[in-house]
Amino acid sequence: MNAAMLVVLAAILAAGAALMLRLAWKRRENPRDQLALTLLGWLTALACAVTSSLAIGAETGVVVALILFGIAGLVIAFANARWRNVRLPRDDIALAPSQRGARIWRGVFRFMLAGPISGAAAIGVALAFTLKAPLGEVDKLILGGSLVPLLWGAGMAWTLADDRILRAAAALLATGAAGFAIGVI
Amino acid sequence: MFPKIPAGFVKAVLAGHSALGLFFAGLIYLVCLSGTLAVFHTETIQWEQPGAPTGRPTDAAFGVAIAQMTEQAPVADGDELHSVSVFAHRLQPDRTTAHYFTDGGAFGAHIVDTQTGALLEEEHAPFAEYLSNLHIYLRLPAPWGIYLVGLIGIAMLSLVVSGILSHPRIFRDAFHFRRGGSRRLQEADLHNRLSVWALPFHLTVSFTGAFLGLSFFTVGILAFVAYDGDQDKAIAAVLGPQATEDHTPKAVPDIPALIADARERTGLQDVNYISIDHVGTQGQVLALELDSTDDLARGELLYYGADGQFLEDSGATDGSLGAQTFAAMAPLHFGTFSGHFVKFVWFAFGVASTLVTATGVSIWMARRREQGRPAPLWERVWISLAWGGAIGCFAPALFTPISAAFATPVLLLSILAALGAAWVVRDSARLARLLRFALGLVLVAMIAVNVAINGAAALAGVPLLVNLGLAVMAALALSSVVWYAKEARTRGAGHQSAAPAPAE
């Protein structure tokens, strides 16, 4: 089987995987069927990734498989759109954001935590990694550099979400200081 | 099957998600929209300037183009030529171009005859340049623009994380798509479905965007500390061998011979680019990239010294994890791997990112309206920013054929005019229709101007495909005006007292 045919097969498997997950979602009243279809769906998705990797190499193959799976899922979701007057569910109140009041100093403090302080903490950890990880020079620099956006993003999400603002501040400052200390020692 | 997440935690994360999303909404929207359009950067260049010689350049053509560019590059008094490059294959599909950069920041490019290597007309694609600059720098001066875009990437990454945590049913409801009735639920369904099914894309693009945007800053700091302040050593560790300051004249090495050597070393064939820093001096260093189709990295990069001696390769395709990760960042961000299929998917998922941003704000406004705290002014402001921003992305194409200097003023004027319209038109649904209509007209005008300038060349090959794409977008914008006008009339007939929709 040539590469083009394998890619087509991967696309079919992606569609099959999404379809099985959709069937599982429809069988909510029958947990056993749901579990079996869910497992089968994810196994088919795995087969899609393997097939795609065989066709175009593992690096690009896995990414292309994720793309195919995403497209299949969206198409199935949109194709099964429910066109009727949608009412708010009774438990909808759980989806409303928590009310935190509007004190300016808290807003400014939270902004500082999510921005520069989270950034500094992320750089502190990345610095410790870059200076201490038992890896080659380029690996330490690039992987350390990759840690910064990941940790900064996570820190930002956490500080903006945590209603206890001082706890977030203490944790971030401690993490950043520990990172810088480990790096320097 | 799914663990129960405490409601208090969900509410707290949702509060953070909303606050961050609203704070950066306008900028994220503009970065997503311009990035989506910039996926077709090379096609936009061909649309603006059709008719360049196509085909794979000969090895000799690379050498001739470098020699001619080195000779002809206009360098002002007191300035010095920094580098000369030739782009082909995956960097410039369907054409070959030669570029020069000076130490003073001047740069330019010429189209290259793929057979002889002779420099032809100057490359002139100010609209493509505008779109990519808008995405990478938000039209702000370097390096602040790219740092801000990097920060937006981090905010997007954070929004993806908090979005998953604040929607405990996002995976369970992955197939839920309801239309009709509560506008908030409709918007939320669209927001959540586009978020969850394109999740790998959102994570990848925001992470690589943040890394690329802030890499000079963050990797710079790390490299500086790791090498005790030795900046040159730090740069060389990440970016490979650098040209030295020995300006003694020296002939450029035999380019076809180096290409042959690179092919032999890597087993790869097509040249993506050749670049020589401090060209024609004893300090020159030549970088040569050969395309690799099996990797996320664009290709393997090889470095040669002033005498043409091989120095090292970057390890982009078979080196260490760090080298391969670094080389994969840009192709993953811009969707330039695995051919046109990925480009179209990156465009479609880019539209999804833009819609996720737009619907995120609409959900917040719809929730306020449901809670009896409507914010009609902010609803109109958001509609104006969204549609005015879209007009501002496209409208410069009508003026850049006269001068590239019109691009930023036209962008700002488009957004200001849309905000002005929000002041005059108090009905948000009518405002959205008006701005959609304006966008449709701009898109039609873009096709007309392109055909008027380029004649028959605008109606063949890649330029034709771009014009067809613009026609489809214009048709969608204009037909949606009619569709929503009809819906508004139906709604008005059904219940006169119904509040206008927060956004369309």
Side-chain angles (χ1 to χ4, degrees), chain B residues 298-464:
Chain B
R298 199 172 48 215
E300 187 57 64
L301 188 58
L302 298 97
Y303 299 95
Y304 293 89
D307 296 317
Q309 77 279 22
F310 174 72
L311 298 176
E312 63 182 60
D313 63 42
S314 68
T317 58
D318 59 0
S320 64
L321 180 63
Q324 293 201 48
T325 304
F326 186 57
M329 290 283 186
L332 271 172
H333 187 78
F334 296 108
T336 50
F337 62 94
S338 293
H340 282 96
F341 165 71
V342 170
K343 265 196 172 191
F344 279 105
V345 174
W346 250 233
F347 178 81
F349 282 177
V351 172
S353 287
T354 313
L355 281 174
V356 167
T357 312
T359 50
V361 180
S362 300
I363 291 165
W364 179 78
M365 286 167 177
R367 180 181 285 120
R368 281 187 65 114
R369 194 171 273 282
E370 280 173 4
Q371 291 169 340
R373 302 183 298 127
L377 177 65
W378 287 111
E379 286 172 6
R380 295 202 305 279
V381 165
W382 178 242
I383 289 168
S384 299
L385 285 176
W387 291 109
I391 294 168
C393 277
F394 289 106
L398 304 175
F399 300 92
T400 47
I402 304 166
S403 168
F406 283 118
T408 303
V410 171
L411 166 71
L412 295 175
L413 277 174
S414 300
I415 295 172
L416 285 175
L419 287 169
W423 188 257
V424 178
V425 182
R426 298 302 177 103
D427 178 342
S428 58
R430 188 170 294 163
L431 175 68
R433 290 201 300 275
L434 175 74
L435 294 174
R436 281 163 186 263
F437 184 68
L439 175 63
L441 288 186
V442 166
L443 291 165
V444 171
M446 279 174 73
I447 301 169
V449 168
N450 186 254
V451 173
I453 291 173
N454 297 311
L459 301 171
V462 171
L464 172 65

Side-chain angles (χ1 to χ4, degrees), chain B residues 128-176:
Chain B
E129 180 59 33
Y130 157 75
L131 273 182
S132 89
N133 184 280
L134 178 62
H135 178 65
I136 297 169
Y137 293 97
L138 276 170
R139 305 298 286 172
L140 296 171
W144 306 112
I146 198 167
Y147 288 167
L148 177 61
V149 172
L151 190 61
I152 289 167
I154 286 174
M156 287 174 68
L157 197 55
S158 178
L159 283 166
V160 174
V161 174
S162 60
I164 298 296
L165 293 174
S166 63
H167 298 84
R169 295 194 304 213
I170 199 163
F171 292 109
R172 191 169 29 182
D173 288 349
F175 294 101
H176 230 158

Side-chain angles (χ1 to χ4, degrees), chain A residues 18 22 25 59 67 70 81-82 84-86 91-92 95-96 98 100 137-139 142 146 149 152-153 157 160-161, chain B residues 11-12 14 16 154 158 169 172 175 177-182 184 197 207 227 237 296 320 322 324 345-346 367:
Chain A
R22 152 87 186 163
W25 178 72
E59 263 184 43
I67 290 169
R82 228 165 26 141
R84 66 180 185 205
N85 199 2
V86 181
D91 60 347
D92 190 61
L95 298 173
S98 57
R100 291 165 166 168
E137 285 186 9
V138 178
D139 290 351
I142 299 302
S146 302
W152 194 344
L160 290 173
Chain B
K11 284 179 162 192
L14 198 53
I154 286 174
S158 178
R169 295 194 304 213
R172 191 169 29 182
F175 294 101
F177 191 59
R178 297 160 293 187
R179 311 308 289 163
S182 162
R184 178 167 70 76
W197 285 109
F207 167 65
Y227 291 96
L296 285 172
S320 64
Q324 293 201 48
V345 174
W346 250 233
R367 180 181 285 120

